[in-house]
Amino acid sequence: MRKLSIILLLFFLLPAAGIASHITGGEMFYTYGGLFGGLHRYHVVLKLYQRCNSGRQFPDPAIISVFDKTNNNRVIDIYANIGTQETISITDPDPCITNPPLVCYEVAYYNFTVNLPSSLSGYVVASQVNFRINGINNLQPGYSNIGALYTADIPGNGYSNTDLVNTSAFFTGSDLVIVCANNDFRYSFAAFDPDGDQLRYSFCSAYASTGGFGGGGGGGGGGGVNGTPPDPPPFPEVPYNNPGFSNSQPFGVNVQIDPNNGLLTGIAPDAGIYVVTVCVQEIRGGRTIATQRKDIQINVGDCNIAAASLKPEYLLCKNTQTITLANQSNSPLIVSTNWELKDENNNIVFSSAEPVITYTFPAPGVYTVKLVINRLQTCSDSTSSVIRVFPGFQPGFTTAGICIHYPTFFTDQTSSVYGVPDSWQWDFGESSLSTDVSDIQNPVFTYPQTGTKQVRLIVTDTRGCRDTALKTISIADKPPIGLAFRDTLICLNDVLLLQASGSGVFNWSPVLNMTNPNTATPAVAPVSTTRYYVTLTEGNCINTDSVLVRVVTEVSLQVMNDTTICRGDTIRLHIVSDGLQYQWTPGAQVLNPQVMNPLVITNTRTTYQVTARIGGCVAVKSVVVSPVPYPQVNAGADQWICYNSTTRLNGNTDGSQWSWQPAAFLDNATLLNPVAAPPRSTVFILTATDNRGCPKPASDSTRIMVEPPLKLVITADTAVVTGQPLQLNATGAAGYLWSPPDHLSATTIADPVAIFPVETAGFLYKLVGTSEAGCTDSTGIMVRVYKTLPTVFVPSGFTPNNDGKNDWLLPVVAGMRQLDYFNVYNRWGQLVFSTRRSGEGWDGKINGQLQATATYIWTVKAIDYRGNPYFGKGISTLIR
């Protein structure tokens, strides 16, 4: 190799590289400088972006490596210092954008010159940085930092010596663009080629730096370190976040790139940061000689643009003439909308002030839609678009040839009712090449690698219709052969049809006793076991496979022993056989009479016969199945019982063993008639087995439903005076019986009245309640009768020592209808206790603290049973 000369400032002792984290984009381009000493001179510029005020530094110097694409060998590593820096930003955003994001970049330029000898494949110039900015939305989560690698492509002279004389295309589109989430936008990746080469644009993969992704995540390469030269190609790609994003859809499905001018259009994705890489192919003489790249992270803001926004054109080229239109901007600043649709003669065919319109065109043709927002108001805007109504446009293509290193032929099958197909953009889906494209109607492409290829055709017609056809093809090193079977049996003297499938020409061997050996389905009649070989040829690709045909003179058949089953159950019959076809009888009792081991069901003793076949060879045998009935079990009728009572279960079975469950509520679970005492409604299950041939248990159940307990509520114990009517009250039952009947107005009602003529220390009434189911419960009430006027008795002292005797100071009312209050005061007149309930008293505590011995004053107010007021007061002593 000739000596390389490099014109740049080199340092023997290089300073530490600056921290290049948060680089937001980059590109590389060059100018051809002519021949110097037999070497081709290129003036190269590396351009790096980072966001303003990030607190980070550009690498200085940057390391740039040159690789020969013929063998991917490293040619030279170059250290280049920053030449110039600038800051670019949007300082006066449009007032019709709500919440506009900051768009500001710091840009560094590295300039150097490299002299290179001629190369058949050319060179790739590469530089890497570490890292991109954090949190990129269209990359896989978990990768907190991913490096970046930027390249320039220098063509070789393998096709033409003039290809090396090349000045690269360089990108000219402005990066000062505000992109709002879910809004229409335009972002230019336009480039200029000083040589006048044709340019074609496409999305492509962003490169990660070599040496490990870095940050969180893992797998692949891509972290890199500033000050470290990149590894040789192929370069690692960043891990896109699928589904939703990929190298061909970095902004999602709603954003496209125009292949002719590099303009990105569509509806932006959700707010966030997205890495977008655009490749521009330099096409000279119909060949792609080089591909240049621009890689930048675009900040999609959480903003809105008040704009009249439509797609560049609308195509109704499939099977409809109806369109629904809406402004692609949803800004809150839009207060009015006006639509006009015009035909080719500029006649208005439809107008509306609705935000969304739907219209069906009466005839094919080219129509114009105009959208105006905020007419004669702030943020007024208008736009127009074309609607092409030519239904019946159907893209499609066929392929022929599936072999690696041999041509695959693509034939356009597009049809158009109103036009003629006039342009084609093919992408053959070969990821290892950037030249896997064509713009002719019926191209031919040779794949260098095997695998599944996603072929894409974008086709247009003379009416302006455009659509895409996709097809997945498989490229192999040999044509695939499909065989219906690889090993089979045949009866001597029978004929067998071999079955293969595939694309190409078939040839079978050996051809002895074979007809149609050059087809996919020849017929054979071997007299002994034979292996047949099939060869499939497609173009220059050949594949071979084989089928073994074993010749027999009889069918081997062994059946299972006769058996018993429980009546009503299914059983799977089993045989051992080399037969190819089976038939069981009687077929009505066999779930699938043509399978080898079928399921059968029978209630009577049955002989099942099986016929096994291999062509003309037949064997027949049988098996007997005898059903035995399950044990008969009857758990008895359901019962109702009262709460906390018992009942006897009434089971019956012809089995030899039995038991009840749950056993916890039974006196003996092994008896047929145990006594049950369930605390709640319970299902008892009787299970039985026998020894007559059916090994499975049978069971039956009975439900014992327990009546809930009665909840009798009765008047509390009380005191009355002689002659006072006492109203008794009870609830919770369906029937009542009071006893004794003395002094009662009735004994079988819930609310009798008692009047006592004489004084008694205590009179006890018993109440028996009965439920609707006949269940009973009882309670009672104690009545004290005083021979006095209506009064309230209060003790003169009490001893709250918890001995159960005289622990409370409480009022005892006699002859009173109601107690208005019973109040207790200390000697300072402070209220220490109050109640309105008879029988409720004071425990001698204030705020939970037991008081010392002292004298307390009480007052009471009540109304007697005649309605007269009653008032009393007195003194009581707390004794400790």
Side-chain angles (χ1 to χ4, degrees):
M1 179 180 287
R2 293 180 178 146
K3 181 179 179 181
L4 303 176
S5 66
I6 306 167
I7 304 175
L8 73 162
L9 184 60
L10 295 175
F11 292 87
F12 292 101
L13 295 175
L14 292 172
I19 299 174
S21 179
H22 295 76
I23 293 295
T24 60
E27 59 181 292
M28 199 181 305
F29 51 91
Y30 58 87
T31 303
Y32 184 71
L35 278 172
F36 287 84
L39 300 178
H40 296 273
R41 175 168 292 178
Y42 299 92
H43 303 287
V44 187
V45 178
L46 169 63
K47 183 179 179 181
L48 297 181
Y49 300 78
Q50 71 179 12
R51 61 186 180 185
C52 295
N53 303 314
S54 66
R56 307 289 181 169
Q57 301 177 7
F58 288 107
D60 195 11
I63 302 178
I64 302 97
S65 300
V66 181
F67 301 95
D68 189 335
K69 292 195 293 183
T70 303
N71 48 28
N72 288 335
N73 286 342
R74 187 184 305 275
V75 177
I76 193 168
D77 295 327
I78 303 166
Y79 292 78
N81 290 99
I82 296 175
T84 58
Q85 280 187 244
E86 65 174 340
T87 298
I88 58 175
S89 65
I90 296 178
T91 58
D92 186 21
D94 190 333
C96 294
I97 300 177
T98 58
N99 191 32
L102 175 67
V103 179
C104 182
Y105 296 104
E106 295 173 359
V107 186
Y109 297 87
Y110 302 80
N111 301 278
F112 59 95
T113 299
V114 60
N115 297 329
L116 299 170
S118 297
S119 168
L120 290 176
S121 300
Y123 300 91
V124 59
V125 186
S127 181
Q128 66 181 10
V129 295
N130 182 23
F131 295 102
R132 298 175 184 269
I133 63 175
N134 291 329
I136 299 177
N137 290 53
N138 59 346
L139 301 187
Q140 289 182 12
Y143 291 90
S144 59
N145 287 302
I146 297 180
L149 187 143
Y150 309 107
T151 66
D153 197 7
I154 299 176
N157 63 349
Y159 186 86
S160 171
N161 287 327
T162 62
D163 287 352
L164 278 167
V165 183
N166 184 63
T167 293
S168 72
F170 60 91
F171 292 92
T172 59
S174 172
D175 295 305
L176 298 180
V177 179
I178 292 178
V179 182
C180 293
N182 303 306
N183 276 248
D184 183 53
F185 80 101
R186 286 168 172 75
Y187 198 124
S188 176
F189 277 78
F192 174 73
D193 190 295
D195 297 328
D197 293 328
Q198 178 187 352
L199 300 181
R200 179 177 293 147
Y201 304 83
S202 63
F203 290 125
C204 53
S205 292
Y207 287 150
S209 55
T210 58
F213 278 137
V225 178
N226 297 321
T228 301
D231 294 340
F235 302 122
E237 300 177 358
V238 298
Y240 288 93
N241 187 9
N242 281 317
F245 302 100
S246 64
N247 59 350
S248 61
Q249 292 180 335
F251 251 176
V253 298
N254 295 321
V255 177
Q256 301 81 35
I257 184 170
D258 190 316
N260 299 312
N261 57 27
L263 181 64
L264 272 62
T265 58
I267 304 299
D270 293 338
I273 300 170
Y274 298 80
V275 57
V276 176
T277 302
V278 171
C279 286
V280 57
Q281 295 171 272
E282 301 176 34
I283 302 172
R284 185 178 299 174
R287 296 176 297 106
T288 299
I289 64 169
T291 300
Q292 313 305 337
R293 306 161 55 87
K294 180 177 180 178
D295 175 329
I296 192 165
Q297 281 94 248
I298 298 176
N299 179 22
V300 178
D302 187 13
C303 53
N304 247 314
I305 305 173
S309 177
L310 297 173
K311 295 179 181 179
E313 65 178 355
Y314 295 86
L315 303 178
L316 297 182
C317 296
K318 291 187 178 292
N319 300 312
T320 183
Q321 294 184 196
T322 300
I323 193 169
T324 297
L325 295 170
N327 191 354
Q328 295 188 123
S329 170
N330 58 1
S331 169
L333 301 178
I334 298 176
V335 296
S336 68
T337 303
N338 294 94
W339 297 90
E340 282 186 353
L341 296 179
K342 295 183 178 181
D343 62 15
E344 292 176 293
N345 297 320
N346 209 32
N347 298 317
I348 297 176
V349 297
F350 180 80
S351 63
S352 176
E354 295 296 322
V356 179
I357 62 170
T358 298
Y359 181 71
T360 300
F361 294 94
V366 178
Y367 296 82
T368 302
V369 55
K370 182 177 182 180
L371 169 63
V372 181
I373 65 164
N374 299 344
R375 178 172 281 163
L376 303 177
Q377 301 177 71
T378 303
C379 295
S380 178
D381 191 24
S382 66
T383 189
S384 296
S385 184
V386 172
I387 304 174
R388 301 183 184 276
V389 185
F390 297 104
F393 181 69
Q394 184 63 45
F397 62 90
T398 60
T399 65
I402 61 169
C403 292
I404 185 175
H405 303 312
Y406 291 98
T408 299
F409 298 88
F410 297 87
T411 303
D412 174 39
Q413 297 289 325
T414 301
S415 61
S416 179
V417 174
Y418 296 97
V420 177
D422 63 350
S423 76
W424 303 264
Q425 295 177 22
W426 295 87
D427 184 332
F428 303 119
E430 179 52 61
S431 59
S432 66
L433 296 176
S434 61
T435 56
D436 62 330
V437 295
S438 176
D439 58 5
I440 65 176
Q441 183 175 11
N442 300 310
V444 178
F445 182 74
T446 299
Y447 286 94
Q449 295 182 355
T450 60
T452 300
K453 314 295 179 180
Q454 180 76 23
V455 182
R456 182 186 68 196
L457 168 63
I458 301 175
V459 60
T460 66
D461 70 0
T462 52
R463 291 292 192 176
C465 288
R466 181 180 64 256
D467 207 346
T468 301
L470 299 172
K471 183 176 292 187
T472 299
I473 65 173
S474 295
I475 300 299
D477 56 355
K478 50 190 176 183
I481 300 176
L483 294 174
F485 48 84
R486 295 180 179 275
D487 188 343
T488 191
L489 299 173
I490 185 175
C491 188
L492 183 64
N493 300 322
D494 281 354
V495 176
L496 174 68
L497 193 68
L498 303 179
Q499 300 176 50
S501 61
S503 176
V505 177
F506 288 92
N507 285 283
W508 293 82
S509 65
V511 297
L512 181 65
N513 298 320
M514 177 185 292
T515 58
N516 301 318
N518 297 323
T519 68
T521 55
V524 296
V527 296
S528 61
T529 297
T530 304
R531 182 174 293 277
Y532 291 93
Y533 295 90
V534 57
T535 299
L536 177 61
T537 303
E538 183 179 13
N540 295 295
C541 292
I542 299 175
N543 195 8
T544 302
D545 211 334
S546 66
V547 176
L548 179 63
V549 179
R550 290 177 286 136
V551 179
V552 297
T553 57
E554 62 181 6
V555 181
S556 66
L557 177 61
Q558 295 180 349
V559 300
M560 63 186 286
N561 294 331
D562 295 346
T563 187
T564 60
I565 63 171
C566 294
R567 183 176 295 165
D569 286 359
T570 59
I571 184 174
R572 186 175 296 278
L573 304 180
H574 293 277
I575 65 172
V576 178
S577 174
D578 60 359
L580 299 180
Q581 295 175 315
Y582 301 94
Q583 183 65 49
W584 289 85
T585 59
Q589 297 179 3
V590 183
L591 298 185
N592 189 342
Q594 282 80 40
V595 299
M596 185 176 183
N597 299 311
L599 285 170
V600 301
I601 183 170
T602 179
N603 290 321
T604 60
R605 188 175 186 272
T606 303
T607 299
Y608 292 95
Q609 180 176 286
V610 58
T611 301
R613 296 179 180 274
I614 302 176
C617 298
V618 178
V620 179
K621 288 190 177 181
S622 61
V623 59
V624 178
V625 177
S626 301
V628 176
Y630 278 88
Q632 298 296 312
V633 180
N634 186 342
D638 295 343
Q639 302 180 50
W640 282 91
I641 65 173
C642 295
Y643 179 76
N644 206 22
S645 63
T646 63
T647 187
R648 185 172 295 279
L649 303 183
N650 299 300
N652 185 29
T653 181
D654 62 357
S656 57
Q657 291 182 315
W658 56 83
S659 65
W660 289 89
Q661 290 291 335
F665 304 144
L666 302 174
D667 64 340
N668 189 337
T670 62
L671 299 177
L672 282 175
N673 306 108
V675 175
R680 67 192 70 88
S681 295
T682 303
V683 175
F684 291 91
I685 300 173
L686 176 61
T687 301
T689 58
D690 64 26
N691 53 11
R692 291 173 293 180
C694 176
K696 296 181 181 180
S699 62
D700 191 25
S701 64
T702 182
R703 182 178 179 88
I704 306 302
M705 290 157 286
V706 179
E707 275 283 318
L710 287 175
K711 296 181 180 180
L712 281 177
V713 178
I714 193 173
T715 304
D717 294 347
T718 188
V720 297
V721 298
T722 56
Q724 174 191 347
L726 174 62
Q727 178 69 63
L728 301 178
N729 288 286
T731 59
Y736 302 90
L737 179 63
W738 297 83
S739 63
D742 302 1
H743 314 304
L744 292 176
S745 62
T747 59
T748 58
I749 63 175
D751 51 354
V753 175
I755 301 176
F756 299 89
V758 296
E759 182 179 16
T760 179
F763 196 95
L764 177 64
Y765 284 112
K766 179 181 179 181
L767 173 64
V768 177
T770 306
S771 71
E772 292 182 354
C775 298
T776 61
D777 197 4
S778 63
T779 186
I781 177 176
M782 176 66 70
V783 182
R784 289 180 175 85
V785 183
Y786 298 92
K787 188 176 182 180
T788 181
L789 294 175
T791 189
V792 176
F793 298 101
V794 179
S796 60
F798 69 108
T799 56
N801 55 6
N802 291 323
D803 64 354
K805 299 178 182 179
N806 203 28
D807 288 326
W808 299 79
L809 178 63
L810 52 82
V812 177
V813 299
M816 297 298 173
R817 180 195 303 168
Q818 70 182 50
L819 178 66
D820 288 339
Y821 64 77
F822 172 70
N823 295 338
V824 181
Y825 302 88
N826 63 17
R827 59 181 177 175
W828 294 284
Q830 295 174 320
L831 180 67
V832 299
F833 176 76
S834 180
T835 184
R836 299 181 64 182
R837 295 174 59 186
S838 175
E840 181 178 74
W842 181 43
D843 61 359
K845 296 179 182 178
I846 299 177
N847 296 326
Q849 190 71 30
L850 185 62
Q851 302 301 296
T853 299
T855 298
Y856 293 86
I857 299 169
W858 56 265
T859 62
V860 61
K861 182 182 178 183
I863 298 176
D864 68 16
Y865 70 91
R866 298 184 186 94
N868 299 319
Y870 173 87
F871 179 80
K873 63 180 178 179
I875 296 173
S876 186
T877 302
L878 186 156
I879 303 171
R880 291 190 65 184

